[in-house]
Amino acid sequence: METLQVKRVGENFSVYIPKIVELPANVYYERDSSIQICTNNYLEVLEYGWQEIKDPDSKKRLYFKLKSNSEMLIGAERRLPLNNLYNCRDLGGYRSDEGRLTRWGLVFRSDALHQIDTEGQNYLEKLGIKRIIDFRSPEEIAKDPNQEIKESQSLNFNPHADVAQQASTQTVSRKDEDKIAQLEQMVKTESGRKQLQKNRNVMIKQMEQLVLGENAIHAYRLFFETLLQDHTTPLIFHCQGGKDRTGWAAALYLAALGVDKEQIYQDYLLTDKMNAPRNAKRMAIYKKYTENADVLAFLASLQQTKKEYLDGAYQAIEEHYGTILNYLTEELGISHTQIKQLKEKYLY
């Protein structure tokens, strides 16, 4: 089985036809994400490479399937086309060490759902979302409660990630203005400027705490307990920006399924691309309150998704547990039998 690459181009889809496919070929599209072809809806393709396909129904998520000889290809657009959500995406299509693919349409990672409009709510409801796992703090939830998604149950697993909470704030409040003023005061001295430059690495420490912190370990245990339960998918897990708390949850989920580190890093770093428009807006607001390059660099570092941040989590794993599999089994309490269950549930 192979991943069929799909991306959105304006209001249409573009599907990549690889040369392993025998032409002409039929690309089927349907709402079902299984490997079975359950519909007669298809488009014939006559060429290799990227082929544009008109979106037949923009209000529903579609999965594309192509069978050529003995080869099955399946894919979907990675990011869900939801207004006001920058980083809501499907974790399907990653290859495991057994050669299997993670299933599309079951597990989605996202930024907070308080921003979606009515059209977005309807889109998620048509997906049949059953569980929404919120990694935010109670204070964040009280400030920006999620929009209701009918027929879903919301769960709050708070890893107590204070820096991540600060980093993912969506707006600039009076308190933030005061913080910027304090940062400007700080960089007036050489020692203060050096300290702020050093603090740009604070997200590395935060990622380490998401591995080692007692509250974080408890939150991610509950996350896996939910993944193992029956009738909990499709599910969405998220924090505020879908970056750190959610990024580490996604890394753990993919690792448990046998996805290699390279693909886990690819998924983690994709957040930087997804959140770029949001981050640009926030930096534009910050620049109204300060022109100091060191202050702006520090504020930017809190929003960014860098390889070094995930390196911090993996280094903590290696120092304390040796491997991420050891961490999953020894610290999160996931048995080898349960890992097999996860693979049967979430891999094709």
Side-chain angles (χ1 to χ4, degrees):
M1 182 180 293
E2 298 290 336
T3 294
L4 190 62
Q5 296 183 62
V6 179
K7 62 182 180 181
R8 185 170 287 274
V9 180
E11 296 183 356
N12 296 330
F13 290 109
S14 190
V15 179
Y16 186 81
I17 308 301
K19 291 191 176 179
I20 61 170
V21 172
E22 183 178 328
L23 296 178
N26 295 332
V27 177
Y28 292 84
Y29 54 90
E30 53 189 72
R31 292 181 63 192
D32 177 71
S33 64
S34 73
I35 60 172
Q36 305 301 320
I37 295 176
C38 309
T39 180
N40 290 322
N41 297 324
Y42 69 87
L43 291 166
E44 185 180 57
V45 292
L46 303 174
E47 298 179 12
Y48 295 116
W50 289 104
Q51 304 298 316
E52 194 158 311
I53 297 175
K54 184 178 179 181
D55 187 350
D57 190 345
S58 62
K59 295 181 180 180
K60 298 175 183 176
R61 181 160 176 77
L62 295 176
Y63 302 92
F64 295 84
K65 305 173 185 181
L66 191 160
K67 191 167 186 179
S68 180
N69 298 321
S70 61
E71 196 69 68
M72 182 72 187
L73 295 87
I74 183 169
E77 62 177 324
R78 178 69 63 193
R79 178 186 174 274
L80 275 61
L82 300 173
N83 293 330
N84 305 325
L85 284 189
Y86 296 96
N87 198 21
C88 185
R89 61 188 200 259
D90 197 321
L91 285 175
Y94 292 112
R95 186 167 300 283
S96 77
D97 55 5
E98 298 174 357
R100 300 162 70 183
L101 296 179
T102 56
R103 291 190 58 173
W104 292 95
L106 292 186
V107 178
F108 302 87
R109 54 172 296 174
S110 183
D111 38 350
L113 305 182
H114 69 281
Q115 307 171 88
I116 60 172
D117 56 15
T118 301
E119 188 176 326
Q121 287 175 272
N122 292 335
Y123 187 97
L124 292 180
E125 287 168 2
K126 287 175 183 176
L127 275 178
I129 299 297
K130 292 185 174 66
R131 296 289 184 276
I132 297 173
I133 297 173
D134 193 336
F135 288 119
R136 295 181 297 168
S137 68
E139 292 78 17
E140 288 174 288
I141 294 170
K143 180 183 176 184
D144 295 312
N146 282 341
Q147 297 291 343
E148 180 186 5
I149 307 299
K150 294 177 183 177
E151 307 300 327
S152 68
Q153 178 186 355
S154 293
L155 305 168
N156 179 215
F157 305 150
N158 178 18
H160 290 250
D162 296 335
V163 175
Q165 181 177 333
Q166 174 190 349
S168 61
T169 301
Q170 298 290 319
T171 58
V172 177
S173 65
R174 178 67 189 178
K175 187 181 291 187
D176 293 306
E177 292 178 44
D178 292 340
K179 287 179 183 176
I180 291 172
Q182 291 171 8
L183 292 171
E184 285 191 309
Q185 284 294 120
M186 183 178 182
V187 296
K188 286 182 178 179
T189 66
E190 182 65 18
S191 60
R193 189 175 64 82
K194 288 182 178 179
Q195 183 60 46
L196 192 62
Q197 290 174 344
K198 184 178 179 181
N199 286 351
R200 292 183 198 174
N201 294 323
V202 70
M203 288 309 306
I204 296 175
K205 294 296 181 184
Q206 179 66 95
M207 293 300 289
E208 291 174 0
Q209 281 304 302
L210 288 177
V211 175
L212 304 173
E214 183 178 339
N215 291 310
I217 290 168
H218 180 66
Y220 293 123
R221 273 187 195 143
L222 295 174
F223 170 59
F224 274 99
E225 286 178 13
T226 305
L227 288 169
L228 284 161
Q229 291 169 4
D230 294 330
H231 312 301
T232 57
T233 56
L235 67 77
I236 293 176
F237 62 93
H238 73 88
C239 49
Q240 191 77 7
K243 183 170 79 76
D244 307 301
R245 293 164 285 186
T246 293
W248 183 233
L252 290 171
Y253 167 75
L254 293 173
L257 300 180
V259 175
D260 63 31
K261 188 186 285 190
E262 181 179 355
Q263 293 178 89
I264 289 172
Y265 270 78
Q266 289 173 359
D267 179 78
Y268 178 77
L269 294 172
L270 190 55
T271 289
D272 215 43
K273 177 181 178 180
M274 296 293 176
N275 280 349
R278 184 199 72 164
N279 293 344
K281 290 178 183 178
R282 286 166 60 191
M283 289 307 297
I285 295 172
Y286 289 145
K287 287 175 182 178
K288 293 179 181 180
Y289 299 102
T290 182
E291 296 179 350
N292 186 281
D294 289 314
V295 172
L296 290 171
F298 171 71
L299 293 170
S301 73
L302 295 179
Q303 300 173 56
Q304 292 163 347
T305 307
K306 294 184 177 181
K307 177 181 178 294
E308 296 92 316
Y309 298 168
L310 191 55
D311 284 345
Y314 268 95
Q315 286 168 8
I317 290 279
E318 290 164 7
E319 288 174 13
H320 293 268
Y321 305 95
T323 67
I324 199 163
L325 180 60
N326 289 343
Y327 177 77
L328 290 166
T329 56
E330 295 171 14
E331 195 63 88
L332 298 190
I334 307 167
S335 69
H336 290 284
T337 298
Q338 288 174 321
I339 286 176
K340 288 181 181 178
Q341 291 171 350
L342 288 167
K343 290 180 177 181
E344 287 307 304
K345 186 174 183 178
Y346 296 108
L347 294 176
Y348 286 112

